[in-house]
Amino acid sequence: MGPSGAGPHRPPLMAAPPDTAPTGEGPAAVTVWLCPHEAVPPLLADTLALRWLDHDERVAGARLRSERDRRRYRVARVLVRRVLSLETGIPEAELDIARSAWGRPYLRAPQGGFPRGEKSLDFNLSHTDGINALAVTRHGRVGIDVERLTRPAGRGPEAVVTVFADEERHRLRALGEGGPRRRVATRLWTLKEAYVKARGIGLGLPFDSFAFTLDDAGRVVSFRPPEDDVAARWRFLGFEAGPDAMVAVAVECDGRGGHTALVNEGFPWQQGPAQRLRFD
């Protein structure tokens, strides 16, 4: 993509070759799954939800008004449980998923710890029209956000740039109107959402209290954190999920994780080929 864009276009992720870590690259810091809603047929989603979801999840799903929303909810929740089962070795129905005081879901370790010896495991889910994005890490906290570039006017990130930091608004004003501005606004929005979700404090963190500086390719070149945080604590990644969706990941640096993410597409019936992307 040219200088005014927010990142190079990437080929469909399923076309990526099997992951092979370059020499010295080390293990990935984050595993990401991008799962379209249609990847799980409705009848199968219903069956898996009945078998895997706990009482609170089933009640929350039943409260949704439309069948379309209930179906999307079921796909998202079975995706979370399937991925966490693959990561931990705990059967999907036995995972103990709770919520923090801020409402952020987290996985409680079973008595005696995780079967594979993980000391901790964090996950985060995002969804937009037609797609779910899930990030999992064994190294600190993680946040993820996915947004469509094709949202109607007044509903996309461009409609809320007034909550961005001064330097971000200045960058957007310099781009004028049109596609390039929308791409940069969407990239900034996804990064901000991913960071706030990783912090896990919801609306307690104003979007104008921190800022990202992007290069001409849309990569993060600097991060000005809020007053209660430090920039060196975090790594960021932005990429495109097809031609009209942007994804951002924020992961906490704990000194143990690598510098890459493994990005998978589809529903995780099993671990398959993944694309390895490097954090900014």
Side-chain angles (χ1 to χ4, degrees):
M1 188 159 173
S4 59
H9 174 69
R10 301 182 188 274
L13 292 172
M14 284 300 287
D19 172 61
T20 54
T23 302
E25 193 73 76
V30 178
T31 299
V32 174
W33 285 89
L34 303 176
C35 180
H37 294 314
E38 63 269 18
V40 185
L43 183 59
L44 180 56
D46 292 348
T47 301
L48 294 178
L50 184 62
R51 293 180 177 179
W52 293 352
L53 302 194
D54 63 25
H55 172 76
D56 291 343
E57 288 172 314
R58 291 196 295 270
V59 169
R63 290 196 186 109
L64 299 174
R65 292 187 176 183
S66 72
E67 177 55 29
R68 180 186 181 191
D69 288 343
R70 290 192 292 271
R71 183 173 300 163
R72 289 179 172 181
Y73 175 87
R74 289 191 289 269
V75 172
R77 300 316 304 173
V78 299
L79 170 68
V80 168
R81 285 186 171 268
R82 177 58 180 162
V83 170
L84 294 181
S85 178
L86 286 174
E87 292 284 341
T88 64
I90 301 172
E92 292 85 354
E94 296 177 19
L95 293 162
D96 187 1
I97 299 175
R99 287 185 177 270
S100 71
W102 291 93
R104 186 183 192 271
Y106 68 95
L107 180 62
R108 276 198 287 239
Q111 187 174 7
F114 292 110
R116 294 173 181 166
E118 298 93 342
K119 292 183 179 180
S120 64
L121 188 144
D122 192 42
F123 72 95
N124 195 236
L125 175 71
S126 178
H127 58 86
T128 190
D129 296 337
I131 189 170
N132 298 286
L134 177 66
V136 182
T137 185
R138 293 176 172 82
H139 311 290
R141 301 289 291 271
V142 69
I144 191 168
D145 189 54
V146 57
E147 297 288 344
R148 291 284 189 190
L149 285 163
T150 51
R151 280 193 176 189
R155 290 182 54 202
E158 281 190 290
V160 292
V161 296
T162 55
V163 303
F164 286 8
D166 289 343
E167 57 264 51
E168 294 167 330
R169 295 201 304 271
H170 177 76
R171 165 78 188 281
L172 290 169
R173 283 195 298 269
L175 292 175
E177 300 294 332
R181 174 187 167 100
R182 169 168 281 211
R183 297 185 75 84
V184 174
T186 304
R187 171 63 69 229
L188 289 170
W189 180 264
T190 57
L191 286 164
K192 285 176 171 288
E193 284 279 0
Y195 172 69
V196 168
K197 292 174 72 179
R199 290 287 305 272
I201 55 178
L203 299 177
L205 189 59
F207 270 23
D208 62 358
S209 67
F210 61 99
F212 293 92
T213 301
L214 309 179
D215 66 12
D216 289 340
R219 294 183 293 266
V220 176
V221 294
S222 68
F223 170 54
R224 176 176 64 78
E227 293 182 353
D228 66 345
D229 204 359
V230 292
R233 181 184 170 196
W234 299 95
R235 295 191 186 109
F236 300 97
L237 170 66
F239 62 95
E240 296 182 19
D244 70 339
M246 285 188 169
V247 181
V249 180
V251 64
E252 190 175 18
C253 306
D254 68 350
R256 296 180 294 125
H259 296 272
T260 59
L262 294 181
V263 183
N264 308 265
E265 185 170 297
F267 190 83
W269 302 114
Q270 60 185 3
Q271 293 281 21
Q275 185 171 1
R276 183 178 284 261
L277 303 180
R278 190 171 183 83
F279 279 85
D280 296 336

